[in-house]
Amino acid sequence: MKIKKKIQQARTLMDALPYIRKFNKKTVVIKYGGSAQADPALKEKFAQDIVLLYLVGIKPVIIHGGGKKISNLLDKLEFKSEFVDGLRVTSQSVMEVVEMVLGGNINKEITNLLNYHGAKAIGITGKDASFIEAKALDEGKYGLVGDITKIDHKVVEDLIAQDFIPVIAPIASGGTNHPGFNINADLAASKVAVALRAEKIIFLTDTPGLLDSDAKLISTLEKEEILELKNSGVISGGMIPKTDACFNALEEGVGSAHIIDGRVEHSILLELFTKDGIGTKIK
Amino acid sequence: MKIKKKIQQARTLMDALPYIRKFNKKTVVIKYGGSAQADPALKEKFAQDIVLLYLVGIKPVIIHGGGKKISNLLDKLEFKSEFVDGLRVTSQSVMEVVEMVLGGNINKEITNLLNYHGAKAIGITGKDASFIEAKALDEGKYGLVGDITKIDHKVVEDLIAQDFIPVIAPIASGGTNHPGFNINADLAASKVAVALRAEKIIFLTDTPGLLDSDAKLISTLEKEEILELKNSGVISGGMIPKTDACFNALEEGVGSAHIIDGRVEHSILLELFTKDGIGTKIK
Amino acid sequence: MKIKKKIQQARTLMDALPYIRKFNKKTVVIKYGGSAQADPALKEKFAQDIVLLYLVGIKPVIIHGGGKKISNLLDKLEFKSEFVDGLRVTSQSVMEVVEMVLGGNINKEITNLLNYHGAKAIGITGKDASFIEAKALDEGKYGLVGDITKIDHKVVEDLIAQDFIPVIAPIASGGTNHPGFNINADLAASKVAVALRAEKIIFLTDTPGLLDSDAKLISTLEKEEILELKNSGVISGGMIPKTDACFNALEEGVGSAHIIDGRVEHSILLELFTKDGIGTKIK
Amino acid sequence: MKIKKKIQQARTLMDALPYIRKFNKKTVVIKYGGSAQADPALKEKFAQDIVLLYLVGIKPVIIHGGGKKISNLLDKLEFKSEFVDGLRVTSQSVMEVVEMVLGGNINKEITNLLNYHGAKAIGITGKDASFIEAKALDEGKYGLVGDITKIDHKVVEDLIAQDFIPVIAPIASGGTNHPGFNINADLAASKVAVALRAEKIIFLTDTPGLLDSDAKLISTLEKEEILELKNSGVISGGMIPKTDACFNALEEGVGSAHIIDGRVEHSILLELFTKDGIGTKIK
Amino acid sequence: MKIKKKIQQARTLMDALPYIRKFNKKTVVIKYGGSAQADPALKEKFAQDIVLLYLVGIKPVIIHGGGKKISNLLDKLEFKSEFVDGLRVTSQSVMEVVEMVLGGNINKEITNLLNYHGAKAIGITGKDASFIEAKALDEGKYGLVGDITKIDHKVVEDLIAQDFIPVIAPIASGGTNHPGFNINADLAASKVAVALRAEKIIFLTDTPGLLDSDAKLISTLEKEEILELKNSGVISGGMIPKTDACFNALEEGVGSAHIIDGRVEHSILLELFTKDGIGTKIK
Amino acid sequence: MKIKKKIQQARTLMDALPYIRKFNKKTVVIKYGGSAQADPALKEKFAQDIVLLYLVGIKPVIIHGGGKKISNLLDKLEFKSEFVDGLRVTSQSVMEVVEMVLGGNINKEITNLLNYHGAKAIGITGKDASFIEAKALDEGKYGLVGDITKIDHKVVEDLIAQDFIPVIAPIASGGTNHPGFNINADLAASKVAVALRAEKIIFLTDTPGLLDSDAKLISTLEKEEILELKNSGVISGGMIPKTDACFNALEEGVGSAHIIDGRVEHSILLELFTKDGIGTKIK
């Protein structure tokens, strides 16, 4: 019967109540990347998740990456890339491409998507009001790859206070007449979360979370255990910067850090609004 | 599989998104009565519904009745009642009992229930800040049964602005040294909704809604049709004051009026957050 | 001659000027009880006093008791009472009566009275916004007699900021599905005064104030002297909780505590607005 | 007995309650002049009256004159005066003396007096923020005697909003490099009252009020009757500008105008806080 | 002598005083384009001008174009362009390039430049908070070239209220899953100026202003004269959309419109802060 | 050519940009006296300077003296003066003259001048809101010459917050019925600057600044060097109180103190807005 199904729906809604209550008016920083940012269907779900958080009184802040699109455009433009330590050295012309793709294309695409699901999103980069400042990483070894030196949290807080959802591209201001810096999105997310004294930071990845040596999902982890897992090689490769970013955020006062599977639809809701979440929670 | 079930839950949450968006920051007045107010399990569900509305940014205002409990206490105290036109004449001593039950017992019970589900509810009567004023109905034919003459909406709005959920007992102030008036809760709800320029008014009843001459639920109704249904006798008895209250609210600018089945758990959510609702909607 | 008498009146008004100046914008907590709450003429004078304080810029907060009315209703309902240590054990049914009388009858009667003398009073109990929380006193020896564990001062301050006079019934919230606690009004007044960092707390009693061993009024007293007077038996009986409440308030930062004769008309004004006051002032 | 006398005092205070309530948050403009401004004892009483109004929530605005002190200083400085139509022609040097006496001496004396009775008074002239602008009266026939062309009410309202009592000397700004204008204090008071949409304007004079042809005090008067009384010669001499100022104020929306006897101590309180007042009330 | 030169400088500063006073707190919309946007030295001067306006209390809003850079990138990417009515048809891939260049490159470059001269600039496009909405121009004849249908002025005003300088790229939001629209920057500037009820709109061009049939600068012009000049062919080519934008802005309430020579350094200051300005002023 | 000259003007404006940026929203206290206050042309320039500071977002506070005008009026009134330690003993009658000249004449003249150049100035003395309190200097040796005991910075800050430029006459309140005190304007300026935590204090004098033993201008000075210069007699006479005032201000946290030549037109601008300033800067 129809009414019974409706009641069942209402009960499901009610299961979310304790979480809605718990995170009310709290800031949650979300590093958006991977498949969740590439697959059209997942993009829709992501936007729905964020707008739901926004409407139930949570304060989401999005920081996105943009790897593949940058490479694509660089290729089309036939830029030759030099690599050092496995990192592409960012020349001034590469930086221009990075900025166009991150700030002009991806950033506004996400912003637009959120707005059309009912949010009031604003897309910014660290150059806006110069709110993220950086210097060259390792004295310029990688060109315009930057190391964040300062975040002006008031700029972001003012936007949140006016009910905007800030969508942030990982670009930093480098000073007068400087083309700016390309910064690692994971670390940027971590530092923004710290600056905003966020309740949570969530990393959307293309893995189920942190896996132990038997490739089984680690549901919860103390931040101290990260070091051991790195030493033992369980954490490796692309997961290293993410866990470093988690560690840094937790060290500086963020409530908890989450590495979740962006390939699962509504993964953010599942992490925030269900009892065990779906990925790895680091405390 | 577990993750699939969770995703299903998230999808259900998403079904509510358009409604959450639509009623964001809107005031919804709810006349609370009948079984929903008597049955312990339904009371819990009611409180959950209201707290959910509150947390997702809707502004609920509750107005309650209290019929049976008043009769019970009058009986225990062995008060003899005189009836005129089927209405119990409210003497000064009866009024005292009415006020104790409504303002001291039921009002605070609802308030307490909401608070313990995570709201910030405050229980008031029309005597608080004298925000509801009345005069004797029909020149005192029924004793201290009152006819509302004025509602000071600013008092309620100020409380809402401070994030309170107002829980209102249907008692009006009658002036200096006056014991106050007992007022009809349905009409009080209607007038409060008008004064607050509410988006919706919802009546919780012990029927599925308005039924047509074949006892089938009427899902939607234009307010003009109410008159016809009354003339034809389809609307009768206790439903008359409720439909009158609906008519009055709609006439004075409230967006829509709903008569729903309080015996169905989460009926408020079902009405607000699903496509067809569950009771009768009058526009 | 008429004009001379008027001038005399104006001079009397002027005598109050230094006190009006001194207490401007200060919070004064008043424990209202005894004859002042029972005698119709004294009730009027009390209301006038409070409204005058309110209009000249003082912030009054009222906490009332309600002993006799509770007993009356319990008697009418033929409740049998068990006594332990001279205290009536509060069962759940007794609690219901206590709450109806305190929260539904007395509280609203005072609120109404103040409003009709020109104030904007709001009647609340500790259950509203759960602003007073308690646990069972002495592990439940006296049933639902409570021991205050927390007062959320912000709730009361917000109401004061909106120009309300809070009128508080001494009932505390006990948590989910809990019927609440009956709390001692003197102690509640003291704790509310502390939470609000009040300038003064005034207890209206049916005695001229504290009397020394020769039954002579003690005009002023250091708070340390209370202990001596208790040891020597000069303070005894019902005066013990009141002096304890005074001591507690002063210890926690309230400016001064006053025990005055509520049987004297305008006793509050006399205490606040004349040089020596009329009762006992404890510093 | 002492307590009885105190109660009598409290009752007197209570007689003022309805008036305190009535004028709460209302602006009252007071033209201060005559004996009340000259006699040391009356000055004290005046200051007490104003501070009492201020503390009980009324918003007083003072406008003063200063006739004799100006003449005294002009005499000492051996200025010769030319008279036209009975008015002293105000040359630039006379204007300088007028400004020193009004703005430097009298204005600050009143301000100081009010402050030391507990107010927060600020002394200004029409030159401050150029809030009163004027042009020469009758095309300069009387030199720098001015005719008010504009009052910037916001300047005064802003000061009131910061809890200042504005004390205004009747001098207007005349534009760039202009020495300013001497303006009639009665008319200035009237225009300020209109600009502030005051509840009342009160003129302190050295008469009991308006007297009828039998030299009996006229207690109340309709504004239309002023014309008749002028035509019949009952209103004459120095009373003409005062009644004109009253008429103008009432025409432009001020609630009532009062001409009272400044020689009576506490005359302002007597007028505001007693049933019949003491002078003439024009409606 | 040195001091004399300094005094001369101070005098020059003083010449600007009347203009600083006149435009205090007024909104001035500036269409930034042409050489002023291409030449490094002129860019610096432009930024200095804007920051000076900002610091002296004027509210600048920048709208920029970006023609050549878009063509350059399209060429590098070897996009073939179709032209209709002389307009390049904007396909979805072209739109992506447009958005990257305008929103990611040029917009942030200007923002950065302003910030490093001491402003607090924020770079946005019409997609942010969807504040500019458009539909396809001429039913899609030119692809994703848009026709503005709505501007949400509150978004921009909120940013100005937080002391941001908004730097706006001429891109509009087209609705759900829509890639957005490319909009004419001149018209966008005009519509934004109207929506913000701006005091002035200034167009930076590569001409001295409007020239008459003898190629002489027209200093001032009534808006009605524009039509004549168009009819007579004096206004032609690229100047037509600019004059149309001026006309539209003036029709809808903007105070004045200015077409000035962006090739002259500090041209904005010269127009705003000197007596005759330097270009054409249309009233 | 005309345009070149205009551009030169714009460049001059730009030279001021770094200083405008640096002092934005900062409070600058200016002791106004000497020729700059006497010479009509210099008065105009002074007013222009102050209004320019005001419009570009700096918060000027003026404190003035008035020596000669006081002497002139005392002479005209044939007051005989007694001198002690080279200071005129201020009797009550002298005080009255001082107050009339300072508060009534000079103060309002400056206020008026500023207003007519586009500011919103308000003239006050220490008696307004009793914001400067003093006691007799050296136990009354000099009569009513006062020694500042307290400055209520909030009064001045509130006026600044309402966009007023406070113009302060150096008179202090002395308590009830006290005629007030004459205070040294240099010291008053210093103490006001400290109370307001000003960025700078500037003394306008009739010398080029501090001169060394060769009568050459000392451009910058550490505050510690003042003592040496006093000991060596380089600082002497009227410069002693000024340097003492500077020293006091710097000791208590004011950013820098400046002694400049008020005889040079636009000297305030030259000091604030050019690289080396024109007088002596003490850090």
Side-chain angles (χ1 to χ4, degrees), chain C residues 184-203:
Chain C
N184 179 282
D186 291 332
L187 280 170
S190 165
K191 297 216 165 176
V192 165
V194 168
L196 297 175
R197 276 161 298 178
E199 179 73 11
K200 275 182 189 301
I201 182 167
I202 297 176
F203 292 88

Side-chain angles (χ1 to χ4, degrees), chain A residues 6 11 21 117 265 277, chain B residues 6 11 21 55 117 265 277:
Chain A
K6 282 191 174 182
R11 283 182 186 153
R21 194 158 50 212
H117 281 84
E265 68 172 82
Chain B
K6 283 192 172 181
R11 284 181 185 153
R21 194 158 50 213
L55 288 173
H117 281 84
E265 67 173 84

Side-chain angles (χ1 to χ4, degrees), chain C residues 6 11 21 117 265 277, chain D residues 6 11 21 55 117 265 277:
Chain C
K6 282 191 173 182
R11 283 182 185 153
R21 194 157 52 211
H117 281 85
E265 67 172 85
Chain D
K6 282 191 173 183
R11 283 182 185 151
R21 194 157 52 212
L55 288 173
H117 281 85
E265 66 172 85

Side-chain angles (χ1 to χ4, degrees), chain C residues 2-3 6-17 20-21 24-25 45 47-52 55-57 116-119 163 264-266 269-270 273-278, chain D residues 2-3 6-17 20-21 24-25 45 47-52 55-57 116-119 163 264-266 269-270 273-278:
Chain C
K2 203 183 153 209
I3 198 85
K6 282 191 173 182
I7 292 173
Q8 197 48 52
Q9 288 178 339
R11 283 182 185 153
T12 300
L13 228 61
M14 277 309 147
D15 291 341
L17 186 55
I20 291 176
R21 194 157 52 211
N24 199 248
K25 290 177 192 167
K45 306 297 183 197
Q48 290 174 351
D49 282 11
I50 298 302
V51 172
L52 187 74
L55 288 173
V56 305
Y116 275 94
H117 281 85
D163 272 335
V264 174
E265 67 172 85
H266 297 309
L269 279 199
L270 298 186
F273 284 5
T274 61
K275 189 161 170 295
D276 307 313
I278 60 156
Chain D
K2 202 183 154 211
I3 198 85
K6 282 191 173 183
I7 292 173
Q8 197 47 52
Q9 288 178 338
R11 283 182 185 151
T12 301
L13 229 60
M14 278 309 148
D15 290 342
L17 186 55
I20 292 177
R21 194 157 52 212
N24 200 247
K25 289 177 192 167
K45 307 297 183 198
Q48 290 174 352
D49 283 11
I50 297 302
V51 171
L52 187 74
L55 288 173
V56 305
Y116 276 94
H117 281 85
D163 272 336
V264 174
E265 66 172 85
H266 297 311
L269 280 199
L270 299 187
F273 283 6
T274 62
K275 191 161 171 293
D276 306 314
I278 59 156

Side-chain angles (χ1 to χ4, degrees), chain F residues 25-36:
Chain F
K25 289 178 193 166
K26 298 293 197 316
T27 297
V28 174
V29 171
I30 294 148
K31 162 62 204 311
Y32 180 44
S35 306

Side-chain angles (χ1 to χ4, degrees), chain A residues 187-205:
Chain A
L187 280 171
S190 166
K191 297 217 165 176
V192 165
V194 169
L196 296 176
R197 276 160 299 176
E199 179 73 11
K200 274 183 189 300
I201 182 166
I202 298 176
F203 292 88
L204 285 186
T205 66

